[in-house]
């Protein structure tokens, strides 16, 4: 229910979102477990890859809306995966 300008702005900001999330994770590690910071740094390429995947999905959602994702989520995650999900008419 965001206005179109806000959704577009968030979609355009997609490339920086993974870096902001990675930086926040870095700060959390630095604060709570500094000796294990090397683990985070070793995994940083995989963390960024996963975060970019999530950010691209969010951007697509911001630009095109949620569509029938609630129905598909319910059918695949809450009732088990179906090969041909049954979507309601209309």
């Amino acid at each position: 229910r965001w206005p179109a300008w806000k959704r577009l702005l968030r979609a355009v900001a997609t490339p920086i979102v993974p870096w902001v999330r990675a930086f926040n994770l870095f700060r959390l590690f630095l604060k709570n477990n500094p000796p294990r910071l090397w683990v985070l740094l070793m995994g940083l390429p995989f963390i960024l890859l996963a975060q970019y995947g999530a950010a691209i999905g969010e951007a697509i959602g911001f630009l095109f809306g949620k569509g029938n994702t609630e129905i598909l989520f319910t059918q695949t995650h809450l009732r088990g995966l179906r090969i041909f999900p049954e979507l309601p008419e209309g």
Side-chain angles (χ1 to χ4, degrees), residues 53-83:
I56 290 168
E58 287 178 6
I60 291 170
F62 286 132
L63 291 174
F64 301 110
K66 64 181 180 178
N68 63 351
T69 55
E70 291 177 351
I71 295 168
L72 292 176
F73 176 82
T74 301
Q75 291 185 343
T76 58
H77 288 76
L78 302 181
R79 292 193 293 165
L81 183 60
R82 307 285 194 271
I83 294 175

Side-chain angles (χ1 to χ4, degrees), residues 22-57:
F23 179 73
N24 288 337
L25 189 59
F26 177 79
R27 285 187 332 173
L28 183 69
F29 258 73
L30 198 58
K31 177 183 173 189
N32 295 330
N33 202 351
R36 304 263 320 184
L37 189 60
W38 66 273
V39 175
L40 174 71
L41 296 176
M42 292 293 291
L44 189 60
F46 302 105
I47 293 168
L48 286 173
L49 183 64
Q51 289 297 329
Y52 266 105
I56 290 168

